Amino acid sequence: MQFDWRAISGPALTTATALTAILVDRNFVAVPNPAPLFVCIVAFAASLSGLASGMASAAIAVACSALFFLNHRATPGYDTADLVRLLMLAMTATGTAAVTGLLRKRLMDAFAWERRHHATAERLSAALDQVDIGIVLLDSDTRAEFINRAFRHYFSLSDDKADSKPPFIALMYHGRDTGAYQLPEEELNAFIAERMEMMRSGDSTPININLADGQVLRFSCTALPDGGRMLSYTPVTDLVRRTDDPSRAEYYRSLRGGGNRGLIRHLRAAE
């Protein structure tokens, strides 16, 4: 059986403090009322191990205080002032144990929920990294909170840059600077401005984006309840190329030299 030192530390410390106070008071010098110290120990016990440890420490504190006051005057016994002190200590220690123990429970429940939430987020992130649809989650300030592996691959985005939470406009400029889009240079700025406007307005109309390596991605924007956006880039090359001119099949086959396994599969329709 595992030894739970947290559960017994509060009662043990209360007992040790009380016995020390009684021995010193009777054999050496007069010791003032240790009730404030007991209350602090009760709060420590409840915060360390919970309500049960705090209540046990409070009970020990009251019992030891009764012993402390028993011979604390010329004649053994208690007077009204002693009984009032004991009652006040019992109420204060019990209240402290209850409040601190309940606060600790709420805090531990919050930590447990956060751990479960974090574990779920980790599993979801790992799952989204396995799909061939590019996914970007933007916060309300249009900064990328999550960029999955497929998007990084399509746009040659380094992990360092993706993990730095870049704004969406920076992702668009990255695609422009790396020559990811199959567009004339004079049309790129208008293209970027149009994508930015669609993202800001939450326009969910899907559009096709032609990449320089021959792939076609269907872009869609979804507005989220917190003001953020989810951007998806679905590969639709095989669907789009069915309507392409067969005379351009040699061109599409030439694009396979880049080593993109997904592209080889998608461009078969062009043959």
PDB file of all heavy atoms in Angstrom, residues 46-47 50-51 95-109:
ATOM      1  N   ALA A  46      -5.454  21.266   4.498  1.00  0.00           N
ATOM      2  CA  ALA A  46      -6.556  21.164   3.538  1.00  0.00           C
ATOM      3  C   ALA A  46      -6.099  21.467   2.115  1.00  0.00           C
ATOM      4  O   ALA A  46      -6.557  20.847   1.162  1.00  0.00           O
ATOM      5  CB  ALA A  46      -7.683  22.115   3.943  1.00  0.00           C
ATOM      6  N   SER A  47      -5.177  22.411   1.971  1.00  0.00           N
ATOM      7  CA  SER A  47      -4.685  22.739   0.628  1.00  0.00           C
ATOM      8  C   SER A  47      -3.769  21.656   0.079  1.00  0.00           C
ATOM      9  O   SER A  47      -3.682  21.454  -1.130  1.00  0.00           O
ATOM     10  CB  SER A  47      -3.939  24.078   0.652  1.00  0.00           C
ATOM     11  OG  SER A  47      -2.771  23.989   1.459  1.00  0.00           O
ATOM     12  N   GLY A  50      -6.604  17.981   1.000  1.00  0.00           N
ATOM     13  CA  GLY A  50      -8.044  18.016   0.843  1.00  0.00           C
ATOM     14  C   GLY A  50      -8.812  18.190   2.131  1.00  0.00           C
ATOM     15  O   GLY A  50      -8.246  18.407   3.212  1.00  0.00           O
ATOM     16  N   LEU A  51     -10.132  18.054   2.025  1.00  0.00           N
ATOM     17  CA  LEU A  51     -11.035  18.348   3.133  1.00  0.00           C
ATOM     18  C   LEU A  51     -10.827  17.414   4.321  1.00  0.00           C
ATOM     19  O   LEU A  51     -10.832  17.858   5.472  1.00  0.00           O
ATOM     20  CB  LEU A  51     -12.482  18.246   2.644  1.00  0.00           C
ATOM     21  CG  LEU A  51     -13.576  18.554   3.657  1.00  0.00           C
ATOM     22  CD1 LEU A  51     -13.457  19.981   4.160  1.00  0.00           C
ATOM     23  CD2 LEU A  51     -14.948  18.316   3.036  1.00  0.00           C
ATOM     24  N   GLY A  95     -14.216  26.041   9.575  1.00  0.00           N
ATOM     25  CA  GLY A  95     -14.510  26.858   8.398  1.00  0.00           C
ATOM     26  C   GLY A  95     -13.328  26.943   7.450  1.00  0.00           C
ATOM     27  O   GLY A  95     -13.477  26.867   6.228  1.00  0.00           O
ATOM     28  N   THR A  96     -12.118  27.103   8.015  1.00  0.00           N
ATOM     29  CA  THR A  96     -10.919  27.170   7.188  1.00  0.00           C
ATOM     30  C   THR A  96     -10.699  25.867   6.431  1.00  0.00           C
ATOM     31  O   THR A  96     -10.373  25.863   5.233  1.00  0.00           O
ATOM     32  CB  THR A  96      -9.690  27.476   8.061  1.00  0.00           C
ATOM     33  OG1 THR A  96      -9.877  28.731   8.714  1.00  0.00           O
ATOM     34  CG2 THR A  96      -8.430  27.528   7.222  1.00  0.00           C
ATOM     35  N   ALA A  97     -10.872  24.738   7.139  1.00  0.00           N
ATOM     36  CA  ALA A  97     -10.703  23.437   6.488  1.00  0.00           C
ATOM     37  C   ALA A  97     -11.723  23.243   5.370  1.00  0.00           C
ATOM     38  O   ALA A  97     -11.395  22.749   4.285  1.00  0.00           O
ATOM     39  CB  ALA A  97     -10.821  22.321   7.523  1.00  0.00           C
ATOM     40  N   ALA A  98     -12.970  23.638   5.626  1.00  0.00           N
ATOM     41  CA  ALA A  98     -14.020  23.447   4.624  1.00  0.00           C
ATOM     42  C   ALA A  98     -13.776  24.304   3.385  1.00  0.00           C
ATOM     43  O   ALA A  98     -13.831  23.813   2.248  1.00  0.00           O
ATOM     44  CB  ALA A  98     -15.383  23.777   5.236  1.00  0.00           C
ATOM     45  N   VAL A  99     -13.509  25.582   3.609  1.00  0.00           N
ATOM     46  CA  VAL A  99     -13.314  26.488   2.473  1.00  0.00           C
ATOM     47  C   VAL A  99     -12.076  26.099   1.666  1.00  0.00           C
ATOM     48  O   VAL A  99     -12.109  25.991   0.431  1.00  0.00           O
ATOM     49  CB  VAL A  99     -13.204  27.945   2.959  1.00  0.00           C
ATOM     50  CG1 VAL A  99     -12.799  28.868   1.820  1.00  0.00           C
ATOM     51  CG2 VAL A  99     -14.523  28.403   3.558  1.00  0.00           C
ATOM     52  N   THR A 100     -10.957  25.862   2.370  1.00  0.00           N
ATOM     53  CA  THR A 100      -9.725  25.517   1.668  1.00  0.00           C
ATOM     54  C   THR A 100      -9.841  24.171   0.958  1.00  0.00           C
ATOM     55  O   THR A 100      -9.373  24.008  -0.173  1.00  0.00           O
ATOM     56  CB  THR A 100      -8.544  25.482   2.650  1.00  0.00           C
ATOM     57  OG1 THR A 100      -8.499  26.700   3.388  1.00  0.00           O
ATOM     58  CG2 THR A 100      -7.233  25.287   1.908  1.00  0.00           C
ATOM     59  N   GLY A 101     -10.467  23.191   1.619  1.00  0.00           N
ATOM     60  CA  GLY A 101     -10.638  21.880   0.994  1.00  0.00           C
ATOM     61  C   GLY A 101     -11.506  21.938  -0.247  1.00  0.00           C
ATOM     62  O   GLY A 101     -11.193  21.302  -1.266  1.00  0.00           O
ATOM     63  N   LEU A 102     -12.602  22.709  -0.203  1.00  0.00           N
ATOM     64  CA  LEU A 102     -13.469  22.824  -1.370  1.00  0.00           C
ATOM     65  C   LEU A 102     -12.787  23.577  -2.508  1.00  0.00           C
ATOM     66  O   LEU A 102     -12.947  23.224  -3.681  1.00  0.00           O
ATOM     67  CB  LEU A 102     -14.773  23.522  -0.976  1.00  0.00           C
ATOM     68  CG  LEU A 102     -15.690  22.731  -0.037  1.00  0.00           C
ATOM     69  CD1 LEU A 102     -16.894  23.567   0.361  1.00  0.00           C
ATOM     70  CD2 LEU A 102     -16.140  21.429  -0.701  1.00  0.00           C
ATOM     71  N   LEU A 103     -12.027  24.616  -2.165  1.00  0.00           N
ATOM     72  CA  LEU A 103     -11.278  25.334  -3.201  1.00  0.00           C
ATOM     73  C   LEU A 103     -10.245  24.423  -3.857  1.00  0.00           C
ATOM     74  O   LEU A 103     -10.046  24.462  -5.079  1.00  0.00           O
ATOM     75  CB  LEU A 103     -10.600  26.562  -2.600  1.00  0.00           C
ATOM     76  CG  LEU A 103     -11.509  27.727  -2.232  1.00  0.00           C
ATOM     77  CD1 LEU A 103     -10.702  28.837  -1.565  1.00  0.00           C
ATOM     78  CD2 LEU A 103     -12.221  28.270  -3.473  1.00  0.00           C
ATOM     79  N   ARG A 104      -9.594  23.606  -3.031  1.00  0.00           N
ATOM     80  CA  ARG A 104      -8.624  22.663  -3.594  1.00  0.00           C
ATOM     81  C   ARG A 104      -9.301  21.675  -4.539  1.00  0.00           C
ATOM     82  O   ARG A 104      -8.777  21.365  -5.613  1.00  0.00           O
ATOM     83  CB  ARG A 104      -7.903  21.911  -2.477  1.00  0.00           C
ATOM     84  CG  ARG A 104      -6.870  20.912  -2.990  1.00  0.00           C
ATOM     85  CD  ARG A 104      -6.251  20.108  -1.850  1.00  0.00           C
ATOM     86  NE  ARG A 104      -5.194  19.252  -2.337  1.00  0.00           N
ATOM     87  CZ  ARG A 104      -5.382  18.054  -2.890  1.00  0.00           C
ATOM     88  NH1 ARG A 104      -6.631  17.581  -3.000  1.00  0.00           N
ATOM     89  NH2 ARG A 104      -4.368  17.329  -3.316  1.00  0.00           N
ATOM     90  N   LYS A 105     -10.477  21.184  -4.152  1.00  0.00           N
ATOM     91  CA  LYS A 105     -11.192  20.237  -5.008  1.00  0.00           C
ATOM     92  C   LYS A 105     -11.567  20.865  -6.342  1.00  0.00           C
ATOM     93  O   LYS A 105     -11.408  20.251  -7.410  1.00  0.00           O
ATOM     94  CB  LYS A 105     -12.461  19.743  -4.305  1.00  0.00           C
ATOM     95  CG  LYS A 105     -13.207  18.656  -5.087  1.00  0.00           C
ATOM     96  CD  LYS A 105     -14.417  18.185  -4.333  1.00  0.00           C
ATOM     97  CE  LYS A 105     -15.103  17.034  -5.104  1.00  0.00           C
ATOM     98  NZ  LYS A 105     -15.465  17.420  -6.481  1.00  0.00           N
ATOM     99  N   ARG A 106     -12.046  22.102  -6.300  1.00  0.00           N
ATOM    100  CA  ARG A 106     -12.389  22.782  -7.548  1.00  0.00           C
ATOM    101  C   ARG A 106     -11.162  22.991  -8.415  1.00  0.00           C
ATOM    102  O   ARG A 106     -11.214  22.828  -9.637  1.00  0.00           O
ATOM    103  CB  ARG A 106     -13.056  24.132  -7.246  1.00  0.00           C
ATOM    104  CG  ARG A 106     -14.429  24.030  -6.611  1.00  0.00           C
ATOM    105  CD  ARG A 106     -15.121  25.366  -6.567  1.00  0.00           C
ATOM    106  NE  ARG A 106     -15.338  25.902  -7.906  1.00  0.00           N
ATOM    107  CZ  ARG A 106     -15.921  27.072  -8.148  1.00  0.00           C
ATOM    108  NH1 ARG A 106     -16.344  27.821  -7.137  1.00  0.00           N
ATOM    109  NH2 ARG A 106     -16.092  27.492  -9.386  1.00  0.00           N
ATOM    110  N   LEU A 107     -10.043  23.326  -7.774  1.00  0.00           N
ATOM    111  CA  LEU A 107      -8.812  23.531  -8.531  1.00  0.00           C
ATOM    112  C   LEU A 107      -8.328  22.226  -9.154  1.00  0.00           C
ATOM    113  O   LEU A 107      -7.922  22.195 -10.331  1.00  0.00           O
ATOM    114  CB  LEU A 107      -7.735  24.110  -7.609  1.00  0.00           C
ATOM    115  CG  LEU A 107      -6.402  24.477  -8.260  1.00  0.00           C
ATOM    116  CD1 LEU A 107      -6.593  25.568  -9.304  1.00  0.00           C
ATOM    117  CD2 LEU A 107      -5.390  24.943  -7.211  1.00  0.00           C
ATOM    118  N   MET A 108      -8.377  21.127  -8.394  1.00  0.00           N
ATOM    119  CA  MET A 108      -7.950  19.839  -8.923  1.00  0.00           C
ATOM    120  C   MET A 108      -8.878  19.369 -10.037  1.00  0.00           C
ATOM    121  O   MET A 108      -8.412  18.785 -11.034  1.00  0.00           O
ATOM    122  CB  MET A 108      -7.909  18.799  -7.803  1.00  0.00           C
ATOM    123  CG  MET A 108      -6.898  19.103  -6.704  1.00  0.00           C
ATOM    124  SD  MET A 108      -5.211  19.291  -7.321  1.00  0.00           S
ATOM    125  CE  MET A 108      -4.864  17.615  -7.872  1.00  0.00           C
ATOM    126  N   ASP A 109     -10.185  19.618  -9.902  1.00  0.00           N
ATOM    127  CA  ASP A 109     -11.119  19.267 -10.973  1.00  0.00           C
ATOM    128  C   ASP A 109     -10.823  20.061 -12.242  1.00  0.00           C
ATOM    129  O   ASP A 109     -10.914  19.531 -13.362  1.00  0.00           O
ATOM    130  CB  ASP A 109     -12.565  19.523 -10.524  1.00  0.00           C
ATOM    131  CG  ASP A 109     -13.030  18.538  -9.470  1.00  0.00           C
ATOM    132  OD1 ASP A 109     -12.364  17.499  -9.304  1.00  0.00           O
ATOM    133  OD2 ASP A 109     -14.046  18.816  -8.795  1.00  0.00           O
TER     134      ASP A 109
END
